[in-house]
Amino acid sequence: MAKEKKGVRLEHISKIYQDPKTKKEFYAVHDTTLDIEPGTFVTLLGPSGCGKTTTLRMIAGFESPDEGEIYLGNEAINALTPNKRDTAMVFQSYALLPHYNVFDNVAYGLKIRKLPKEEIKKKVMDILELVELKGMESRMTNQLSGGQQQRVALARALVLEPGVLLFDEPLSNLDAKLRVTMRTEIRKIQQKVGITAVYVTHDQSEAMSISDKIIIMSKGKVEQIGTPREIYYHPKSRFVADFIGEANFLEARVEAVKGEKAAITVSGQPLEVNNFAGAKPGDTASLVIRPEAAGLSEDGLLDCKVTLSTFMGSYQYYQAKVGDVTVQITDYNPVNKKIYEVGENVKLNFDPNGVYIL
Amino acid sequence: MAKSQNARLERKKFYSDPILVGMIVVLLIFLLLFILYPLLMLLVDSFYTEGRVTLDVFKRVLSLQRFRKAFTNTLVLGVITGLASTLIGLLFAYVEVYVKVRTKVLKRLFSVVSMLPVVSPPFVLSLSMIMLFGRSGIITRSLLKIYDSNVYGLGGIAIVQTMTFFPVCYLMLKGLLKNIDPSLEEATRDMGASRWKVFVSVTLPLLLPGLGNAFLVTFIESVADFANPMLIGGSYDTLATTIYLQVTGAYDSTGAAAMSVVLLSLTLILFLIQKYYLERKTAATLTGKASRARMPIEDKSVTVPLTIICGLAAAFVILMYIMVPFGALFTLWGRDYSLSLKWFQYMFKTSGLKAFKDSFVLSLIAAPLTALLSMVISYLVVKRKFKTKGFIEFVSMLAMAVPGTVLGIGYIRGYANGLFRTGVMGGLYGTGLILIIVFIVRSLPTGTRSGISALRQIDASIEESAYDMGANSARVFFTVTLPLIKDSFFSGLVTAFVRSITAISAIILLVTPQYLLITCQINEQAEKGNYGVACAYATVLIIITYGMVLIMNGLIKLFGTSRKIKEED
């Protein structure tokens, strides 16, 4: 449906803001370079204040970068105003025009492009069918539910067949259940239409479920770019590991290295791990263990002492101490498993191939 | 950190929108020419004579006993009116928000009383004051048989101004009181405080900046007021009337210019304190929305006396206004109270029709221009980023602090011989156009203020979304912004019309015999003592303005009110 899928390229983009209180300038976005391929769904993910929305608004043209150049397709668009850019945005608050009905909201951009009336009508009706709002075209926007308003906002952006579709936390005003439904739907429609989409969110499960690629941002900088799997299983920094999912960090010292294998000590306990290529004896590292990848048993890798044991329904939740470090463990489907009680000395178990270091 | 690229890009984006740039340029020229330039000319006149900078004019003016007296008079009057208006306004507001009022009548009275000063010309109350309490007043002469009653002077003006301005305080304070979270007061009551203690220790301190604000606003209004001191002042001259007499009586326009600078400095200082200090403080103490409805005070020992006091005060104000049509209908005030239409006939036989036509047409032209202009300014100020934005906002608000008389003198000095006395644009002076411009300048601040507050309610992303879909600034303004602030636009339209048709202070200095204006006619007739004719004019004027308000309200209902989009927080 899109005339032409366009990629988005950010080259060394920086944006400086001034703190309204201290009057100090700081980088909201710092030296960010991104290459978003045509037709992919890319999510900018990060805690609030990480610069993700600023990045999106620079792509849309509402903010101008202080350094660097933004390309849409092959066109440098830095100097273009938002109304001249081949982008369409779905706003957090939907930003539907409250004095227009559904049809006129969706037709607004087409009318500006001076399309013939018949064509406008056909396009609007087609797109309303796509977002399953057929028959609602004469409703006023305040007569719609949150989810329906969301669809109008999406339709209004899609109908312009933009080179790239921008989403600014579009689901944050919906309730939890609807959020899940809508994100699947947005993904479906995006794949059907084959449009390039840049999506901003702070919700990691949303980002995981919807994206081809996730860009994790923190303090104005890109921390890591990768598929959801890569980000989850191979975080490049402690920040990413901590931000995506739950993670336990165990400090380790490298004693000897032999190819991929390494002998390390964790809280004074020796351990052998596999994927330690490149480490040198004497290095310190963090082992990252996801709670669901760890377990307790009589024989295991590290000694630990149970400090908390709680039945959560689908899993038994433990906290256990390895040396001074508290480790969280979620043991799923605990129905026939042995439950360890507080104060028991047991072993922490995990796949030594599955841990990774930072 | 280098921000140059951002600035360069923003500039590029800005200039790629020629309509926006055009709008701003036109606005800047308008504000410079018709607000700043006339005021600048006053400064030039008072500091620069015969080619050199001097304080001679000031020395001369300051040595005038008359002027010094007028200065203290103005301050005394301002303080009295300010205090009285704030107190009465507070009383009305408190009763409306806190006290359980049994009768609906009182509520209606309140709304009528707060509405009347808006639709009536500024000096109507002076007229009725004279007719009720003057030498041949109904109450003084006919009822109480006092034959030497004197309403002229400080007392008369103060009463009349208070009645004219207290509704402004009432509306301001009502808004503030509604914003006080009832749980604050309930908490102190719960800790054992009496109602009076709660009022003194919670309500009043929270309201204090607001009270200061209300006081200063009325103070400024009082100081700037021209018509009431003119009619009922007698020998009690204020700065505004002294300036007027200096021009029209002594033909000393440089002296008047210097006096204007003094008056302007006074109002300007008050205005700056009010706007940049008190208004902020008010906003800081009263930001919270009331979490739930307040339990009104039902205690009879509180409700009964307050209701009676407010009811009497409101009734008195309404009585004053009712006097006006009767003044026009009685054969001879003070002597012969039989009804006749002779004053109306006299009015229409002389210059009545022309005056109504001129006033009506000029105001009708000025009103939509004002409303549109103030919406454009609000849009630019709230929604756009550009360099001269602060300047535009400041100057259009500054006009609020400029007394009409000062503006009038400024126009005389600035345009009588063309721009900078070069003859350029000299044709403007004495035309209807300059009157229209004065109307616009005088109503611009109110319209802009209401536009700005309406626009601040609208989520910025709504306009951004239209912009994002390809609309340029002009299109965004006309298809999104304006429809969303329709209410504010229409009310701006009514206010501008009413303010224009009832204006006098600046206009009386600029009007030429070519145009007859109702307000000037009323003033002239009242000065001559022809109260019957003055009242006839005033009656028709009130009917016109009230009619316009009704028509406009009808139109607003017809077009549907715009749904307010509250910002998500």
Side-chain angles (χ1 to χ4, degrees):
Chain A
M1 149 148 267
K3 296 165 291 193
E4 180 199 351
K5 302 175 205 172
K6 285 183 183 166
V8 181
R9 232 165 62 242
L10 273 65
E11 289 188 351
H12 302 289
I13 289 295
S14 291
K15 178 74 191 173
I16 299 162
Y17 280 144
Q18 199 182 40
D19 188 302
K21 274 194 195 128
T22 60
K23 300 282 170 207
K24 263 194 193 148
E25 291 190 334
F26 65 94
Y27 280 106
V29 176
H30 193 195
D31 195 22
T32 292
T33 299
L34 294 176
D35 196 350
I36 296 166
E37 279 166 39
T40 55
F41 199 115
V42 173
T43 301
L44 295 170
L45 176 66
S48 58
C50 71
K52 55 191 193 300
T53 297
T54 308
T55 308
L56 193 78
R57 288 175 63 85
M58 283 195 282
I59 299 174
F62 293 119
E63 314 277 349
S64 303
D66 286 298
E67 284 153 23
E69 186 71 51
I70 300 175
Y71 294 89
L72 185 59
N74 293 318
E75 188 191 8
I77 55 169
N78 261 4
L80 291 182
T81 51
N83 54 334
K84 300 276 192 274
R85 294 189 182 194
D86 192 14
T87 60
M89 182 141 151
V90 177
F91 289 80
Q92 183 171 21
S93 56
Y94 319 135
L96 301 180
L97 307 177
H99 52 301
Y100 288 156
N101 63 21
V102 170
F103 183 94
D104 289 331
N105 259 288
V106 180
Y108 187 85
L110 297 175
K111 282 181 186 160
I112 288 165
R113 284 161 182 72
K114 299 213 168 60
L115 263 58
K117 247 197 176 139
E118 280 310 302
E119 201 182 332
I120 292 181
K121 189 158 185 208
K122 187 171 178 313
K123 284 195 171 202
V124 173
M125 292 320 251
D126 286 351
I127 216 82
L128 285 179
E129 186 162 1
L130 182 72
V131 299
E132 293 170 19
L133 279 180
K134 224 178 165 196
M136 303 252 189
E137 54 273 5
S138 55
R139 292 262 189 105
M140 293 308 282
T141 55
N142 61 353
Q143 297 171 298
L144 300 177
S145 68
Q148 289 168 331
Q149 292 186 24
Q150 180 63 66
R151 286 162 209 259
V152 177
L154 181 60
R156 187 175 71 166
L158 278 174
V159 82
L160 300 174
E161 302 173 15
V164 54
L165 199 53
L166 307 174
F167 293 90
D168 180 14
E169 309 210 20
L171 303 181
S172 57
N173 287 339
L174 299 178
D175 63 62
K177 232 177 187 171
L178 202 52
R179 233 179 339 222
V180 175
T181 324
M182 276 310 292
R183 73 187 188 207
T184 340
E185 212 152 314
I186 287 178
R187 176 59 164 164
K188 252 194 235 157
I189 290 173
Q190 181 265 339
Q191 283 178 324
K192 201 167 178 184
V193 179
I195 196 169
T196 316
V198 183
Y199 190 102
V200 162
T201 183
H202 61 260
D203 180 338
Q204 43 153 321
S205 61
E206 206 170 293
M208 296 281 232
S209 65
I210 209 170
S211 332
D212 293 315
K213 268 192 180 165
I214 295 178
I215 299 166
I216 306 256
M217 292 184 74
S218 162
K219 293 178 185 163
K221 286 190 174 171
V222 172
E223 288 279 333
Q224 190 172 354
I225 303 177
T227 63
R229 242 164 211 288
E230 285 165 356
I231 300 256
Y232 191 78
Y233 288 120
H234 302 286
K236 281 187 187 154
S237 64
R238 198 181 175 113
F239 172 81
V240 175
D242 205 21
F243 187 73
I244 293 280
E246 298 284 332
N248 296 303
F249 298 97
L250 288 175
E251 302 311 319
R253 224 181 102 82
V254 181
E255 303 296 345
V257 185
K258 198 169 150 198
E260 284 267 299
K261 289 193 174 186
I264 59 172
T265 49
V266 176
S267 300
Q269 305 182 49
L271 191 65
E272 193 149 292
V273 286
N274 277 336
N275 43 353
F276 262 54
K280 293 189 301 291
D283 283 357
T284 54
S286 296
L287 297 186
V288 182
I289 305 164
R290 299 284 182 199
E292 75 273 13
L296 296 176
S297 54
E298 263 80 55
D299 48 345
L301 301 171
L302 295 170
D303 290 328
C304 64
K305 189 175 188 170
V306 178
T307 55
L308 181 74
S309 175
T310 311
F311 177 59
M312 301 295 287
S314 61
Y315 60 91
Q316 183 77 19
Y317 176 75
Y318 294 107
Q319 286 182 1
K321 276 207 158 167
V322 179
D324 302 334
V325 187
T326 301
V327 179
Q328 305 183 62
I329 300 131
T330 50
D331 195 2
Y332 277 89
N333 200 12
V335 60
N336 289 323
K337 289 182 189 166
K338 173 164 190 210
I339 302 299
Y340 297 95
E341 299 300 335
V342 173
E344 281 188 67
N345 285 312
V346 283
K347 298 268 189 183
L348 181 69
N349 215 352
F350 49 88
D351 178 4
N353 297 312
V355 292
Y356 42 86
I357 53 153
L358 294 167
Chain B
M1 294 190 191
K3 291 201 74 172
S4 61
Q5 176 173 318
N6 172 53
R8 186 169 50 84
L9 289 174
E10 288 294 331
R11 211 175 312 132
K12 226 177 197 173
K13 287 182 185 175
F14 177 69
Y15 284 114
S16 70
D17 202 339
I19 303 174
L20 178 70
V21 178
M23 264 192 312
I24 292 171
V25 170
V26 169
L27 255 180
L28 282 177
I29 293 177
F30 182 86
L31 295 178
L32 278 176
L33 271 184
F34 298 115
I35 298 181
L36 280 191
Y37 162 73
L39 299 182
L40 178 78
M41 285 311 281
L42 292 178
L43 280 180
V44 171
D45 268 353
S46 27
F47 288 109
Y48 189 79
T49 31
E50 290 153 15
R52 59 196 181 83
V53 178
T54 157
L55 286 174
D56 288 355
V57 186
F58 269 106
K59 279 186 194 139
R60 179 165 65 79
V61 169
L62 285 175
S63 70
L64 289 176
Q65 170 69 29
R66 197 154 47 80
F67 175 75
R68 290 211 300 271
K69 185 92 184 92
F71 187 79
T72 37
N73 280 353
T74 309
L75 288 183
V76 170
L77 175 64
V79 171
I80 295 176
T81 304
L83 283 178
S85 306
T86 309
L87 280 179
I88 299 180
L90 174 65
L91 180 71
F92 271 62
Y94 189 81
V95 168
E96 162 118 25
V97 180
Y98 279 78
V99 178
K100 184 164 180 121
V101 180
R102 268 179 212 295
T103 49
K104 278 206 167 140
V105 184
L106 200 65
K107 283 237 150 123
R108 290 223 40 120
L109 268 185
F110 277 23
S111 70
V112 171
V113 164
S114 58
M115 169 83 167
L116 276 172
V118 181
V119 297
S120 84
F123 38 76
V124 157
L125 285 179
S126 292
L127 272 184
S128 24
M129 190 74 188
I130 295 168
M131 290 186 299
L132 279 175
F133 299 103
R135 198 153 303 161
S136 37
I138 276 199
I139 292 179
T140 39
R141 186 189 173 99
S142 309
L143 238 56
L144 303 174
K145 308 290 175 203
I146 301 169
Y147 292 98
D148 57 349
S149 152
N150 185 13
V151 287
Y152 300 94
L154 176 62
I157 316 178
I159 292 174
V160 164
Q161 282 192 342
T162 303
M163 278 197 283
T164 316
F165 300 138
F166 89 86
V168 180
C169 301
Y170 156 67
L171 292 176
M172 279 172 69
L173 296 173
K174 187 170 87 173
L176 290 179
L177 282 174
K178 280 196 170 156
N179 268 342
I180 295 181
D181 190 341
S183 43
L184 290 180
E185 289 147 343
E186 280 167 12
T188 30
R189 280 285 273 172
D190 194 48
M191 288 186 277
S194 67
R195 263 192 213 294
W196 177 247
K197 182 84 188 154
V198 170
F199 179 75
V200 177
S201 62
V202 179
T203 318
L204 214 52
L206 282 175
L207 209 57
L208 213 53
L211 287 174
N213 204 1
F215 171 75
L216 279 187
V217 167
T218 32
F219 196 134
I220 296 173
E221 294 259 17
S222 158
V223 167
D225 185 20
F226 164 78
N228 287 312
M230 192 69 200
L231 272 188
I232 203 170
S235 59
Y236 194 86
D237 279 327
T238 64
L239 280 177
T241 55
T242 310
I243 293 169
Y244 172 75
L245 294 172
Q246 198 69 12
V247 177
T248 55
Y251 299 102
D252 171 20
S253 54
T254 39
M259 294 176 178
S260 299
V261 170
V262 175
L263 177 56
L264 180 62
S265 318
L266 182 63
T267 52
L268 213 54
I269 290 167
L270 295 172
F271 172 75
L272 290 177
I273 298 175
Q274 185 253 325
K275 179 142 183 63
Y276 291 96
Y277 181 69
L278 278 174
E279 214 166 65
R280 250 163 233 186
K281 249 193 153 168
T282 315
T285 47
L286 293 174
T287 45
K289 280 260 151 39
S291 53
R292 45 194 198 76
R294 187 184 306 279
M295 293 295 291
I297 301 175
E298 285 184 60
D299 189 347
K300 281 233 165 59
S301 65
V302 179
T303 56
V304 173
L306 286 183
T307 311
I308 291 176
I309 295 172
C310 286
L312 283 179
F316 183 66
V317 173
I318 289 170
L319 173 78
M320 297 283 276
Y321 282 96
I322 289 175
M323 273 309 114
V324 177
F326 282 110
L329 288 170
F330 290 147
T331 312
L332 186 59
W333 196 268
R335 324 237 180 241
D336 182 357
Y337 289 120
S338 60
L339 297 178
S340 89
L341 283 174
K342 73 171 189 176
W343 300 121
F344 283 100
Q345 284 162 349
Y346 175 81
M347 172 179 74
F348 284 116
K349 247 187 269 163
T350 53
S351 29
L353 273 181
K354 178 160 167 49
F356 288 119
K357 200 193 100 218
D358 289 351
S359 275
F360 193 77
V361 169
L362 291 177
S363 307
L364 211 56
I365 298 171
L369 290 174
T370 315
L372 196 62
L373 204 60
S374 46
M375 293 305 123
V376 171
I377 293 178
S378 325
Y379 168 70
L380 293 176
V381 166
V382 179
K383 302 288 176 180
R384 303 311 302 247
K385 297 184 277 193
F386 57 95
K387 263 208 178 118
T388 49
K389 176 168 127 169
F391 175 80
I392 287 183
E393 185 182 10
F394 180 75
V395 175
S396 41
M397 285 298 149
L398 175 77
M400 197 160 1
V402 181
T405 317
V406 173
L407 196 71
I409 304 285
Y411 275 54
I412 293 179
R413 301 304 297 164
Y415 288 102
N417 300 307
L419 273 189
F420 297 106
R421 320 247 155 77
T422 54
V424 181
M425 288 179 69
L428 188 64
Y429 191 73
T431 61
L433 184 59
I434 203 166
L435 298 181
I436 292 174
I437 291 170
V438 170
F439 286 158
I440 294 176
V441 169
R442 298 286 291 152
S443 310
L444 203 56
T446 13
T448 308
R449 208 171 38 174
S450 103
I452 285 178
S453 68
L455 273 179
R456 291 229 161 104
Q457 304 275 305
I458 295 174
D459 183 1
S461 60
I462 290 182
E463 275 139 332
E464 279 180 354
S465 78
Y467 199 33
D468 189 55
M469 284 188 280
N472 60 26
S473 301
R475 186 147 186 158
V476 171
F477 179 76
F478 282 108
T479 61
V480 181
T481 314
L482 205 52
L484 289 182
I485 51 167
K486 245 183 334 195
D487 285 0
S488 179
F489 174 78
F490 280 122
S491 79
L493 197 65
V494 184
T495 317
F497 177 82
V498 171
R499 281 183 65 105
S500 299
I501 205 166
T502 58
I504 183 157
S505 52
I507 289 302
I508 200 167
L509 289 161
L510 295 170
V511 73
T512 48
Q514 194 189 340
Y515 290 94
L516 294 175
L517 297 177
I518 311 174
T519 46
C520 299
Q521 293 297 313
I522 302 178
N523 182 55
E524 196 183 316
Q525 298 294 347
E527 288 227 305
K528 284 186 203 155
N530 297 338
Y531 294 118
V533 189
C535 282
Y537 273 108
T539 309
V540 178
L541 181 52
I542 292 177
I543 292 172
I544 291 179
T545 49
Y546 192 61
M548 280 310 271
V549 171
L550 286 184
I551 291 173
M552 277 302 164
N553 284 342
L555 282 181
I556 292 175
K557 270 201 190 119
L558 202 67
F559 290 127
T561 52
S562 43
R563 278 175 303 283
K564 294 257 161 33
I565 320 304
K566 293 276 185 289
E567 212 162 340
E568 308 268 347
D569 42 14

